[in-house]
Amino acid sequence: FCWGNPIREISTSDFAGKYYQRLKFDCREYEIRGINRGALQLENVFVPLKMEQKAAELTKQDMIQPLVNPLEQQEIGNLLVQMKSDVSFKRLAILGAPGCGKSTLLRHITLMYATRKQRRLHPQAPKLIPVLLQLRDIYQEIIQNSEIPLAEVIENAVKKLQPSEPLQPRSGWFAKQLRQNKCLVMLDGLDEIADDSQRQDVSAWVDRQIKTEYPNTCFILTSRPEGYRKAPLTANVYQLEVQPFTREQRDKFIQDWSLHRVKLEYNNKIDLGIRDRAKKQANNLIEQIEVSSSLKLMARNPLLLNMIAITHETHGNLSNKRVDLYKEICRVLLEGR
């Protein structure tokens, strides 16, 4: 199949340039679940996730999952490279527990492609046009018309990207890119379709896009395991389970998070004093986590680790009792909202 050069086409297309700019606006911030504490740039604090091939029915549902053999784990950059040469990697189903970072992963992929930085994912990452669709936002039109083309769904979603000066896709532009296999289509949150029957209908629609309409296009779908188990894709899909943070991933997130939180207080300026303060703050949090088995367990989940970092910034000292920490996290969430 032909991969073409989407970047060259984008440079000559007024719509495509505006589309990429909008994707950048939507994905550049690290989302903190409704808490307004100052914007952190996603690319500054993103820690690559580790994933392992595993059958959906074997994936655990707990918020916190046990570690697995790290030798069998892969990162998304390697998988994107394999998408180019191996058809078995062209359809990925990324499964994971709540808060494990599935949506953040897709937003990061989108941001890297929208800013022409895909080589940060992998030096040999293929050139692709990112298409990120939230299934919770589009499933109704699929339910209402099971024959609706993927290109039309994308166009409708793109028109809603920005309230002011809505984007108007060039007629047939997305259909052309899809036919030429230039797109990376990311479908986020199959499990967020609450009704089992509707979720199965959407899964069947996705199956048709993958198997019949665009068999050589790259697709990534995310879901919690239970939601996927009740509405699995029947196409040849490579299933992956997101793994909990290792100690190294945890510490890198804390160090990056602390540095950029401190930088925000100084209008994003940085000097030795700022670095030292951030390092001291990060080390303090890491030390508190290391002496508490409950904190260590919770900190393996990216969302909970983020909540721990916010709570530490607010209160300084953390309780080593999980129930007390949950109370502090809830208090921070409520105050933040």
Side-chain angles (χ1 to χ4, degrees), residues 173-298:
W173 192 83
F174 279 107
K176 177 182 178 182
Q177 311 311 316
L178 288 167
R179 286 196 305 270
Q180 295 180 355
N181 308 315
K182 292 181 178 180
C183 294
L184 172 60
V185 180
M186 293 168 279
L187 305 167
D188 190 29
L190 180 65
D191 59 287
E192 294 185 37
I193 303 171
D195 183 84
D196 287 348
S197 177
Q198 291 183 334
R199 192 183 323 124
Q200 290 162 7
D201 289 343
V202 171
S203 182
W205 178 84
V206 173
D207 259 330
R208 285 197 298 275
Q209 309 312 308
I210 290 175
K211 292 193 296 186
T212 306
E213 302 298 331
Y214 306 105
N216 289 320
T217 290
C218 299
F219 284 85
I220 301 177
L221 178 140
T222 69
S223 177
R224 295 182 188 182
E226 180 65 16
Y228 186 80
R229 184 183 66 79
K230 294 181 179 180
L233 298 176
T234 62
N236 182 22
V237 175
Y238 191 75
Q239 293 182 25
L240 293 148
E241 179 188 3
V242 177
Q243 299 302 303
F245 267 1
T246 63
R247 177 177 178 176
E248 290 73 21
Q249 288 173 301
R250 178 201 72 190
D251 290 354
K252 180 175 181 0
F253 176 85
I254 292 173
Q255 290 159 359
D256 291 344
W257 193 94
S258 297
L259 176 60
H260 290 284
R261 283 295 300 156
V262 174
K263 279 176 60 179
L264 282 175
E265 298 179 27
Y266 294 89
N267 297 318
N268 282 317
K269 295 179 181 178
I270 190 165
D271 55 32
L272 187 58
I274 291 172
R275 288 188 181 278
D276 284 346
R277 180 182 161 192
K279 184 176 181 180
K280 181 179 179 181
Q281 180 176 307
N283 288 343
N284 180 267
L285 176 53
I286 291 171
E287 289 170 4
Q288 291 191 54
I289 291 174
E290 279 298 305
V291 298
S292 168
S293 58
S294 293
L295 285 175
K296 281 198 289 187
L297 187 62
M298 293 173 67

Side-chain angles (χ1 to χ4, degrees), residues 28-254:
R28 63 187 174 187
E29 293 183 7
Y30 179 70
E31 292 184 343
I32 313 181
R33 298 289 169 128
I35 302 177
N36 183 15
R37 302 182 65 85
L40 290 176
Q41 299 298 302
L42 176 57
E43 65 178 305
N44 291 334
V45 295
F46 179 79
V47 176
L49 299 178
K50 303 292 185 180
M51 292 173 283
E52 180 187 67
Q53 183 181 15
K54 181 164 288 191
E57 62 270 20
L58 299 180
T59 307
K60 297 183 180 297
Q61 295 299 302
D62 303 321
M63 175 72 84
I64 304 165
Q65 305 173 37
L67 288 172
V68 297
N69 183 359
L71 296 178
E72 300 175 358
Q73 297 172 14
Q74 303 187 62
E75 294 182 5
I76 192 63
N78 295 327
L79 294 166
L80 289 171
V81 172
Q82 292 181 73
M83 276 183 166
K84 184 175 181 179
S85 57
D86 190 340
V87 69
S88 63
F89 288 92
K90 292 181 72 61
R91 301 91 173 258
L92 306 181
I94 298 178
L95 312 176
C100 72
K102 303 181 296 296
S103 296
T104 301
L105 172 64
L106 296 193
R107 293 179 69 249
H108 186 255
I109 295 171
T110 302
L111 179 65
M112 291 297 98
Y113 273 104
T115 55
R116 287 39 167 213
K117 298 176 182 177
Q118 66 270 16
R119 289 187 177 181
R120 292 190 181 183
L121 299 169
H122 192 284
Q124 299 175 357
K127 295 177 180 179
L128 294 167
I129 298 170
V131 175
L132 177 58
L133 299 173
Q134 302 295 333
L135 287 172
R136 65 176 178 268
D137 296 332
I138 66 171
Y139 81 95
Q140 287 290 356
E141 61 181 324
I142 295 172
I143 297 299
Q144 293 169 9
N145 177 12
S146 62
E147 300 301 320
I148 188 170
L150 174 59
E152 184 176 339
V153 172
I154 295 172
E155 288 182 2
N156 293 340
V158 167
K159 291 176 183 177
K160 299 174 184 177
L161 278 176
Q162 57 187 41
S164 58
E165 300 181 15
L167 294 175
Q168 294 296 328
R170 286 165 43 191
S171 178
W173 192 83
F174 279 107
K176 177 182 178 182
Q177 311 311 316
L178 288 167
R179 286 196 305 270
Q180 295 180 355
N181 308 315
K182 292 181 178 180
C183 294
L184 172 60
V185 180
M186 293 168 279
L187 305 167
D188 190 29
L190 180 65
D191 59 287
E192 294 185 37
I193 303 171
D195 183 84
D196 287 348
S197 177
Q198 291 183 334
R199 192 183 323 124
Q200 290 162 7
D201 289 343
V202 171
S203 182
W205 178 84
V206 173
D207 259 330
R208 285 197 298 275
Q209 309 312 308
I210 290 175
K211 292 193 296 186
T212 306
E213 302 298 331
Y214 306 105
N216 289 320
T217 290
C218 299
F219 284 85
I220 301 177
L221 178 140
T222 69
S223 177
R224 295 182 188 182
E226 180 65 16
Y228 186 80
R229 184 183 66 79
K230 294 181 179 180
L233 298 176
T234 62
N236 182 22
V237 175
Y238 191 75
Q239 293 182 25
L240 293 148
E241 179 188 3
V242 177
Q243 299 302 303
F245 267 1
T246 63
R247 177 177 178 176
E248 290 73 21
Q249 288 173 301
R250 178 201 72 190
D251 290 354
K252 180 175 181 0
F253 176 85
I254 292 173

